[in-house]
Amino acid sequence: MFRYYLGLALRSLRRNIVLTVLMVVTIGVGIGASMTTLTVFRAMDADPIPQKSAQLFAPQIDSWGPTDNPSEMEDKLEDQLSYIDAMALMHAQRAHRQVAGYATGFALTPENPELKPFKADARATFSEFFAMFDVPFRYGRGWGSDEDLARAPVVVISDELNQKLFGGADSVGRSINLDDQEYRIIGVMAPWEPVPRFYDLTTENFAKTAQVFLPFNRAIERQMRSWGYTNCADRSEPNWQRLLDSSCVWIQFWVELPTAKAAEDYRLWLDDYAREQQRSGRFSWPAYTKLRDFKSWLRNEHVVSHETRLLVLVAFSFLLVCVLNATGLMLAKFMGRSADIGVRRALGANRRAILAQCLIEAGVVGLAGGLLGIVLTVLGLIGLRGALSEQLVQVTSLDLTGVGIAFALAIIATIGAGLYPTWRASRVQPAWQLKAQ
Amino acid sequence: MEILPILSAMRRNKVGAMLVAVQMAVTLAILCNALSIIEQRLAASARPSGTDEANVFAISNQWVGTPPDESALVESDVTALRAMPGVVDATVMNSYPLTNSGSGDDAYLAPNQQKPTAHMARYFGDEHAVASLGLTLVAGRNFTAQEIIDRERGDQLVPPALIVSRALATALFPKGDALGKVIYTRGSRKEGSPIVGIVERLQTPWVASGPWAHAWVENSVIEPYRYLAQSSFYLVRTQPGRLASVMGESGQTLFALRPARVLDKIQSMGEARRNVYRDDRSLAVILAVVCAVLLAITAFGIVGLTSYWVAQRRRQIGIRRALGATRGAVVRYFQTENLLIATCGAVLGIALAMTLNRLMVGSFEQQRLHASYLLVGAVTVLLLGQLAVLWPALRAASTPPALATRSV
Amino acid sequence: MLEMSHLSKVYRTEVVETHALRDFSIHVREGEFVAVSGPSGSGKTTFLTIAGLLEEFTSGAYRLDGVDVQGMNDDARSRLRNAKIGFIFQAFNLIPDLSVAENVEVPLRYRGFSAAERRRRIRQSLERVGLAARRHHYPAELSGGQQQRAAIARALAGTPRLLLADEPTGNLDTQMARAVMELLEELHRDGATIVMVTHDPELAVRAQREVHIVDGQVVDVAVEPRLLSVAGASARTRF
């Protein structure tokens, strides 16, 4: 019977081609819009480090107090730590791994005197960064805790920088000139572009990885200022000493806690630490800390912009209009055929048979609409390329899951649109139709 | 018109009428909010920065390492830039408008005031800043060379004079008597600085859209510093028509003076504007496309459904015509029917639009919907319905009366 | 075959109550060719739709081929209708999208016959009505008479126990009407049970016997037509 209904459906759709095209286009456009925005949303919302994210946490400490707190964060807790707090947390070594870090940069003078010096984005961080975030290496390795302590002038460089300076060769052991200082290359990363750049979301969500990684203490020794966002309670611009001594926040901090118990323990310890600060007189307010898990952190940092969420909402509302439209068109189509349905009923079709016939017809429209929707989604994503940052464009694509969602959405939308018209069609009384003759 | 018979005829096809009404309502809700957002974004991206954008460009300068004689280096750089043919003036600054990156501060009217009177952006510039940016001084005077202090990053200084934007002046002194008054910042709570000049307009570097941004997007203060830091910006203003050529040569000029530097970006104010508003423009374009397609879909849907209704009532129409109804009367019948449905849809739609807007404001930090958008949206949707029903109505009107007498 | 006892059908709308059939009884035996006649509005079409299980009745009893249809749900009625009854409508009611063969096939599909069985039955019934050559034509390509014959083929394909015809020649000219009536008489001679509703007395006499309906009730056909115009004052006889 299915093949029979399928044949009938195709014939019926062909007969009134305008109406069919209208229905397919309606569904297709609705699917296209929804899937385009949904794909972008999924790319933005995706876990950049799924194998590790469950174990990564970000501690937050209120180092400004409740009075006159100029923080713009919703819960008045800044997303960075002060130098004192960051160093205290590093020294305490209470987590399986912990790293403090901040974004900075150099003027890199290439060996080749023909080339002009260029800007190199850098990250000052600790040795455990590479193991914590599963950073892949092409040559060499990260530095160890010895180099951390010794403030060694060693760097890990990115694959892109290695290509630019050394043509991609093994440059471990060679040195580069950063701000008139020689640094020894100890490792070269393989291409690593987490999207979003979760470990530092203070300036941009979808920025590129830094070109150079160097030990935190070395950067401090060289008085390298943060190229990110420095936020002081009194909104002033601090000099170097103030930066280290004050409650200005400018350092990002991550901890790795492998088990739930470890996380709970750390959370309690963090609170203890803040209370300790209150006791010692540094904080004059009750302890206020948070240990955010990975997903919560991304949400707090608004990785998925309001505009994106807004567009997803608009797109799905648009799909609703399309479904309503399709319902109207299908109502017109099925009810316009009540004579046909009445005859079939008279010839022995029960209501289920009519239901099946109509739903299959709706299903064919849904399939065609889904196909069109997928094509439109691909076009839509291409069109959006100009609007998204380069990093995001790399990971925004319609994968198999997306195609599946698109078809499912199309079928559900079309069947949903067809439910009422089908129900009405099945209720056509054979007698009524005949009487009208 | 015969509204009651139309209503009772519609009752037989309740669901179809409701479908059209609900569809129009949702369309209206989306349309109003989308138009509102589009207007906001386009309006925001059209706001003037206060600078002479057509003739100003910025060079981002970064020293290699920390040269010991920064002040002399900067002085020679700036002198060389000013000497270039076609250049009106040049200066060094910490930031400039349309970049979303800069320094902020709070302004107080009294030394120990608790809450700040206004928020503002701080620009560090010397006596050449006003001319280099192409600002318009409307009251008071520019800085004198003696007032300028060399400032390293993080220095805690009390400026001897300030130039503020008119918006900031009004925010601090609504009576309009800002000139000569002393204001305090977060950094210098005890010792204030007098306002010596007011410029017509100077935007903060941050131009994001959102309810809070609009409040102080033109609150700026210029502090009389020559900014000395590893990274800073040279702002250069050229004579009209000379921008491109000066931009092209400026890099060479600076490298000739000292090669150990990074000139990461040489960008005109026009480019800066295009970059900083790129997301706003994209959003506006996307929403505009959505609106256009939405209206098209709804229009075609109404055409389709009305065609079906017309076909259903062919007999009735034929009878009416046979009884003397004119073609115009038939068309008016369907137009009236559509108007009734559309009005219900519009009323529902306005309620939906306001609900949607509340969601936008609460969860997505958008702005409140202006009542004028509801009106525009309602009129658009009503007109759309009337236009869409015209073709099937005209077809119905041309039904020959002979159809009424046919029993088959 | 077809037994109705004291059947009544009342249509209720908000404002008016119409008694389409009242205290209606009829008995059609197997192999009979019965014509049901009456003026328009007499209820003969209602009788037909109820007989064809297309509508439910308000009160009374109806047995079809020995099966009491009271209380049957829609599914059961559909199955019964599909298996036992063949319809011939005044307006042919062929589905325009489908060819002649496909039209004949429709009731067979709902019956659940295999493809081979369906093909056999279609061939047989088309040959029976003389349309085998036109099996791939579409209704729009056929004359009125041919269309009605196709409809008859469709009615026959499922080897129904009962043929119900509603003004089968109403839309045909004299020549075609004659051809269709001859076909019906032929089928009757071959053993079919036929109930034909018509308002044409000339057609009615070609049947085996005639049942006359006025105002929803059976009336003795022998009674003078003149007396029938007195509302409700005529003698009622049961067949």
Side-chain angles (χ1 to χ4, degrees):
Chain A
M1 281 313 265
F2 178 79
R3 291 233 315 265
Y4 179 56
Y5 290 141
L6 197 61
L8 291 177
L10 289 171
R11 228 194 285 223
S12 155
L13 293 172
R14 241 202 316 264
R15 192 154 165 260
N16 199 340
I17 197 86
V18 173
L19 204 58
T20 307
V21 165
L22 222 57
M23 285 193 286
V24 170
V25 165
T26 297
I27 297 287
V29 168
I31 297 291
S34 327
M35 282 312 296
T36 304
T37 53
L38 195 65
T39 305
V40 172
F41 181 88
R42 279 178 63 223
M44 277 189 181
D45 199 41
D47 190 334
I49 185 170
Q51 75 277 20
K52 246 347 207 340
S53 57
Q55 300 167 35
L56 301 174
F57 295 81
Q60 289 175 286
I61 301 173
D62 180 14
S63 51
W64 292 349
T67 25
D68 255 355
N69 188 325
S71 173
E72 278 153 18
M73 306 295 283
E74 275 126 25
D75 54 1
K76 292 290 192 192
L77 267 183
E78 283 293 299
D79 52 353
Q80 299 182 104
L81 299 184
S82 65
Y83 182 74
I84 301 175
D85 287 331
M87 290 304 103
L89 261 57
M90 280 306 297
H91 287 139
Q93 296 271 306
R94 291 294 291 216
H96 178 62
R97 291 195 181 108
Q98 50 264 304
V99 286
Y102 67 98
T104 181
F106 296 98
L108 192 156
T109 313
E111 279 173 3
N112 184 349
E114 301 279 304
L115 299 173
K116 292 202 170 60
F118 57 89
K119 183 175 80 163
D121 288 306
R123 183 156 197 83
T125 188
F126 284 86
S127 53
E128 290 180 326
F129 180 93
F130 305 101
M132 189 192 280
F133 298 129
D134 281 352
V135 179
F137 279 84
R138 210 194 270 285
Y139 309 113
R141 52 168 184 85
W143 61 86
S145 52
D146 304 329
E147 279 107 338
D148 271 338
L149 286 171
R151 308 190 197 107
V154 293
V155 288
V156 167
I157 65 171
S158 71
D159 183 65
E160 194 184 316
L161 188 63
N162 196 41
Q163 295 284 346
K164 188 169 176 180
L165 293 177
F166 305 109
D170 184 350
S171 53
V172 172
R174 299 181 67 159
S175 76
I176 55 174
N177 181 309
L178 299 168
D179 274 342
D180 264 349
Q181 300 273 311
E182 295 295 317
Y183 287 79
R184 185 167 51 86
I185 296 173
I186 195 177
V188 176
M189 288 171 17
W192 185 59
E193 296 287 353
V195 177
R197 197 183 63 171
F198 59 92
Y199 53 84
D200 181 2
L201 295 165
T202 51
T203 46
E204 270 178 73
N205 292 336
F206 298 100
K208 284 175 64 148
T209 304
Q211 311 274 51
V212 174
F213 287 75
L214 74 154
F216 189 96
N217 292 328
R218 170 80 191 178
I220 298 295
E221 187 189 54
R222 302 289 309 161
Q223 297 197 1
M224 295 184 66
R225 300 200 69 122
S226 161
W227 282 15
Y229 185 40
T230 303
N231 205 1
C232 297
D234 63 358
R235 283 202 207 270
S236 63
E237 215 199 338
N239 58 21
W240 183 253
Q241 200 51 48
R242 264 209 76 221
L243 203 57
L244 302 183
D245 295 340
S246 69
S247 65
C248 294
V249 296
W250 51 282
I251 296 174
Q252 301 88 50
F253 205 96
W254 283 91
V255 293
E256 185 178 331
L257 302 163
T259 65
K261 178 160 191 318
E264 185 57 30
D265 285 344
Y266 196 87
R267 201 179 58 74
L268 293 170
W269 176 84
L270 192 64
D271 228 35
D272 269 342
Y273 167 80
R275 247 174 277 126
E276 174 71 43
Q277 301 304 300
Q278 187 190 8
R279 264 196 300 274
S280 70
R282 189 175 147 238
F283 291 170
S284 61
W285 53 87
Y288 179 27
T289 68
K290 256 191 199 157
L291 185 68
R292 279 198 190 266
D293 66 63
F294 196 81
K295 279 197 174 35
S296 166
W297 184 255
L298 294 189
R299 263 201 309 278
N300 198 36
E301 295 287 286
H302 296 302
V303 171
V304 181
S305 65
H306 286 307
E307 277 72 24
T308 309
R309 289 185 198 271
L310 187 155
L311 278 177
V312 173
L313 179 65
V314 168
F316 275 84
S317 310
F318 179 74
L319 181 63
L320 176 66
V321 174
C322 292
V323 168
L324 288 170
N325 210 31
T327 306
L329 292 173
M330 252 186 266
L331 191 65
K333 181 166 228 294
F334 290 166
M335 293 315 288
R337 268 216 306 231
S338 2
D340 178 312
I341 296 172
V343 169
R344 285 183 178 271
R345 292 278 276 132
L347 294 177
N350 57 16
R351 292 209 186 96
R352 261 204 316 279
I354 303 298
L355 266 166
Q357 187 180 341
C358 289
L359 279 177
I360 287 175
E361 193 166 329
V364 171
V365 170
L367 227 67
L371 222 67
L372 178 64
I374 288 174
V375 168
L376 289 176
T377 303
V378 172
L379 288 175
L381 288 175
I382 293 175
L384 275 185
R385 227 159 255 198
L388 304 171
S389 68
E390 210 188 296
Q391 268 52 43
L392 196 53
V393 167
Q394 308 278 18
V395 296
T396 305
S397 65
L398 193 61
D399 57 3
L400 229 57
T401 318
V403 169
I405 297 176
F407 270 117
L409 207 59
I411 300 286
I412 293 172
T414 317
I415 303 274
L419 272 179
Y420 175 72
T422 304
W423 180 81
R424 272 287 289 270
S426 73
R427 295 220 77 81
V428 164
Q429 290 293 357
W432 182 83
Q433 286 307 315
L434 299 179
K435 264 205 155 67
Q437 306 304 333
Chain B
M1 244 254 103
E2 11 162 298
I3 300 213
L4 280 174
I6 296 178
L7 278 176
S8 66
M10 268 204 300
R11 215 177 310 140
R12 280 187 53 210
N13 203 347
K14 267 195 296 265
V15 176
M18 271 190 332
L19 266 175
V20 174
V22 172
Q23 195 178 331
M24 288 176 120
V26 180
T27 301
L28 180 66
I30 299 175
L31 198 67
C32 288
N33 282 285
L35 286 177
S36 171
I37 294 174
I38 291 173
E39 193 270 337
Q40 284 163 37
R41 299 303 168 115
L42 290 181
S45 61
R47 289 173 309 192
S49 59
T51 65
D52 181 16
E53 285 180 35
N55 301 312
V56 174
F57 71 95
I59 306 168
S60 62
N61 182 66
Q62 179 186 357
W63 303 117
V64 173
T66 327
D69 49 351
E70 248 182 289
S71 182
L73 285 175
V74 167
E75 185 61 43
S76 67
D77 276 351
V78 164
T79 311
L81 287 171
R82 283 188 208 129
M84 285 175 70
V87 170
V88 170
D89 207 343
T91 188
V92 61
M93 294 183 73
N94 61 332
S95 71
Y96 57 101
L98 301 176
T99 54
N100 273 339
S101 151
S103 205
D105 206 338
D106 291 333
Y108 302 83
L109 297 176
N112 291 311
Q113 191 177 312
Q114 277 285 30
K115 285 215 163 333
T117 312
H119 302 296
M120 61 196 184
R122 320 166 69 189
Y123 292 104
F124 305 149
D126 61 10
E127 73 274 24
H128 294 270
V130 170
S132 301
L133 286 175
L135 304 175
T136 321
L137 204 62
V138 292
R141 60 169 178 81
N142 194 3
F143 297 134
T144 64
Q146 294 75 34
E147 284 170 330
I148 309 299
I149 310 170
D150 278 357
R151 188 188 198 276
E152 306 271 347
R153 201 165 167 189
D155 280 349
Q156 299 304 316
L157 302 163
V158 180
L162 296 173
I163 296 177
V164 299
S165 63
R166 194 209 283 269
L168 182 60
T170 317
L172 294 170
F173 303 100
K175 286 211 283 282
D177 55 345
L179 211 53
K181 295 280 188 348
V182 169
I183 62 172
Y184 304 80
T185 65
R186 280 239 189 214
S188 61
R189 297 301 292 271
K190 303 230 172 5
E191 226 183 301
S193 314
I195 297 173
V196 302
I198 303 177
V199 291
E200 170 69 42
R201 180 180 283 123
L202 179 58
Q203 270 189 337
T204 64
W206 312 285
V207 290
S209 279
W212 55 268
H214 286 224
W216 54 283
V217 72
E218 289 190 1
N219 288 5
S220 302
V221 65
I222 308 178
E223 300 182 26
Y225 302 135
R226 179 184 293 118
Y227 186 56
L228 304 173
Q230 202 200 9
S231 294
S232 59
F233 298 99
Y234 292 127
L235 275 294
V236 181
R237 181 149 157 257
T238 69
Q239 284 160 6
R242 305 295 297 267
L243 183 75
S245 57
V246 174
M247 268 176 76
E249 288 166 17
S250 55
Q252 286 169 289
T253 311
L254 291 177
F255 276 122
L257 285 175
R258 180 190 170 88
R261 65 167 93 223
V262 176
L263 297 181
D264 188 54
K265 199 160 57 174
I266 301 179
Q267 181 191 47
S268 70
M269 288 300 281
E271 275 172 63
R273 174 174 284 275
R274 272 193 300 279
N275 287 340
V276 88
Y277 286 121
R278 202 184 59 153
D279 285 349
D280 291 299
R281 260 201 324 275
S282 305
L283 185 64
V285 167
I286 292 171
L287 285 177
V289 168
V290 167
C291 284
V293 178
L294 187 64
L295 288 175
I297 296 257
T298 305
F300 282 123
I302 295 176
V303 169
L305 201 55
T306 316
S307 297
Y308 157 67
W309 280 349
V310 162
Q312 280 266 302
R313 287 179 281 180
R314 205 183 287 275
R315 238 181 105 88
Q316 190 209 114
I317 296 164
I319 292 170
R320 281 171 174 269
R321 297 269 284 126
L323 293 176
T326 62
R327 290 218 171 100
V330 174
V331 173
R332 268 200 307 281
Y333 179 92
F334 284 105
Q335 302 277 60
T336 313
E337 186 184 69
N338 179 274
L339 196 65
L340 287 171
I341 298 174
T343 310
C344 293
V347 169
L348 179 65
I350 288 176
L352 268 178
M354 297 202 292
T355 312
L356 185 62
N357 184 243
R358 251 203 301 278
L359 179 68
M360 293 272 166
V361 169
S363 303
F364 302 130
E365 286 182 8
Q366 300 303 311
Q367 287 199 317
R368 280 177 60 82
L369 198 57
H370 222 256
S372 54
Y373 284 105
L374 293 172
L375 194 65
V376 168
V379 168
T380 309
V381 161
L382 284 172
L383 273 177
L384 186 78
Q386 291 291 289
L387 278 171
V389 93
L390 201 59
W391 181 63
L394 283 171
R395 271 215 327 192
S398 58
T399 304
L403 222 54
T405 56
R406 289 267 226 101
S407 57
V408 168
Chain C
M1 171 62 47
L2 190 160
E3 254 184 83
M4 288 187 185
S5 333
H6 305 292
L7 211 78
S8 86
K9 172 73 184 177
V10 183
Y11 287 105
R12 279 192 187 84
T13 67
E14 282 165 19
V15 279
V16 85
E17 213 178 68
T18 317
H19 290 255
L21 293 175
R22 25 170 141 224
D23 198 24
F24 185 90
S25 302
I26 187 170
H27 187 104
V28 176
R29 285 174 207 82
E30 189 166 348
E32 281 197 286
F33 185 168
V34 177
V36 175
S37 58
S40 68
S42 56
K44 51 188 199 301
T45 310
T46 310
F47 153 70
L48 200 68
T49 56
I50 292 176
L53 301 173
L54 298 173
E55 257 192 307
E56 300 201 49
F57 46 89
T58 317
S59 70
Y62 172 22
R63 291 178 75 85
L64 174 65
D65 200 19
V67 179
D68 187 349
V69 309
Q70 176 79 327
M72 271 192 171
N73 66 7
D74 179 77
D75 262 14
R77 283 212 306 279
S78 295
R79 271 199 303 274
L80 198 60
R81 188 162 65 236
N82 180 251
K84 307 268 186 183
I85 302 177
F87 281 101
I88 303 162
F89 303 104
Q90 175 179 356
F92 325 140
N93 280 348
L94 294 174
I95 296 176
D97 284 355
L98 308 178
S99 68
V100 165
E102 286 165 340
N103 263 290
V104 173
E105 192 198 24
V106 173
L108 303 178
R109 283 273 187 177
Y110 294 124
R111 190 82 158 264
F113 287 134
S114 71
E117 179 71 18
R118 290 198 306 268
R119 276 197 295 273
R120 187 179 68 78
R121 284 170 176 264
I122 292 169
R123 197 181 55 241
Q124 269 182 350
S125 58
L126 281 178
E127 278 168 8
R128 187 78 187 72
V129 304
L131 277 180
R134 304 233 188 274
R135 56 184 298 132
H136 293 301
H137 286 222
Y138 284 82
E141 298 163 351
L142 303 177
S143 71
Q146 287 168 328
Q147 287 186 51
Q148 191 59 297
R149 279 194 280 154
I152 294 172
R154 180 179 65 187
L156 290 177
T159 47
R161 302 281 287 142
L162 173 67
L163 282 174
L164 291 177
D166 181 13
E167 306 275 11
T169 57
N171 287 4
L172 303 173
D173 64 29
T174 340
Q175 195 186 0
M176 291 182 199
R178 209 180 13 242
V180 166
M181 281 311 296
E182 274 167 17
L183 179 57
L184 285 180
E185 284 166 348
E186 217 181 282
L187 292 172
H188 174 232
R189 275 200 297 280
D190 291 343
T193 313
I194 307 178
V195 174
M196 179 179 72
V197 163
T198 181
H199 68 272
D200 186 346
E202 276 188 32
L203 286 181
V205 299
R206 290 175 76 150
Q208 207 178 3
R209 71 179 166 99
E210 200 183 325
V211 169
H212 204 73
I213 302 183
V214 174
D215 280 341
Q217 286 186 308
V218 175
V219 164
D220 186 352
V221 71
V223 178
E224 278 287 324
R226 205 164 27 87
L227 284 176
L228 289 174
S229 62
V230 178
S234 18
R236 314 253 188 267
T237 320
R238 296 234 328 257
F239 275 75

